[in-house]
Amino acid sequence: MLKTEGVLHFTIPVKDLDRSERFYTEILGMEKLRRTDHMVFMRASGTCFVLTYSENEINPNRDMKHEIHSAFTVTKAEYDRAKQWLPTKGVPIFKEEDRNRGTFRGRSAYFHDPDRNVIEIIDLTAGPISEADEKK
């Protein structure tokens, strides 16, 4: 069995690198690390991700589903601020939940990026919690 050390980065498919770079830096406050002709390397705190131009259709979720998404943690104060601020920037929140069970716990809000990728922000109060830990 292969033993990995951790996650280096994940990729979010996009159709317009300029538009996506602006969204992730100006709306979500991420840091741009570098850019190539088909990728923008980004950082959210200590986690790297890559906005990658996709020739394929981008439609990871049908309708207002959110099963396929990328989640970012925020503070309690930033969560409260984001709920008010995102809609003023044309980014409506389409689902909110307050989880007190499961792997990740806390208040979360879901919205779309310009390519309809689902983004979750969460005021993480606990997690990750394994099934074994939950039974204790």
Side-chain angles (χ1 to χ4, degrees):
M1 172 188 328
L2 178 69
K3 175 143 177 40
T4 60
E5 294 292 318
V7 176
L8 178 61
H9 68 79
F10 61 92
T11 301
I12 298 175
V14 302
K15 293 307 249 178
D16 182 324
L17 285 174
D18 293 331
R19 176 183 69 186
S20 295
E21 181 181 328
R22 280 191 308 275
F23 179 83
Y24 283 87
T25 57
E26 296 173 13
I27 300 295
L28 298 185
M30 309 299 184
E31 174 190 4
K32 175 183 145 188
L33 297 173
R34 69 176 59 224
R35 182 171 169 162
T36 70
D37 62 335
H38 65 283
M39 295 184 288
V40 182
F41 293 82
M42 306 292 296
R43 180 169 32 212
S45 190
T47 303
C48 292
F49 64 99
V50 184
L51 303 173
T52 303
Y53 173 75
S54 175
E55 294 179 0
N56 299 321
E57 176 186 356
I58 301 169
N59 190 13
N61 298 291
R62 299 266 184 233
D63 304 318
M64 297 307 260
K65 301 285 187 184
H66 65 285
E67 287 79 13
I68 300 170
H69 66 276
S70 299
F72 298 94
T73 58
V74 295
T75 65
K76 176 182 171 58
E78 187 61 14
Y79 182 87
D80 292 334
R81 189 184 79 77
K83 280 183 29 178
Q84 303 300 315
W85 185 77
L86 285 169
T88 70
K89 295 298 180 184
V91 182
I93 294 170
F94 69 85
K95 179 177 179 157
E96 288 185 72
E97 55 189 356
D98 191 353
R99 286 181 251 145
N100 55 19
R101 300 177 48 131
T103 306
F104 301 106
R105 298 174 184 182
R107 298 178 302 155
S108 63
Y110 297 84
F111 51 91
H112 292 105
D113 79 357
D115 291 291
R116 291 199 44 83
N117 292 297
V118 175
I119 304 297
E120 173 190 6
I121 56 170
I122 182 169
D123 169 19
L124 189 66
T125 58
I129 297 169
S130 71
E131 290 176 349
D133 288 341
E134 191 166 46
K135 293 177 183 176
K136 291 180 183 178

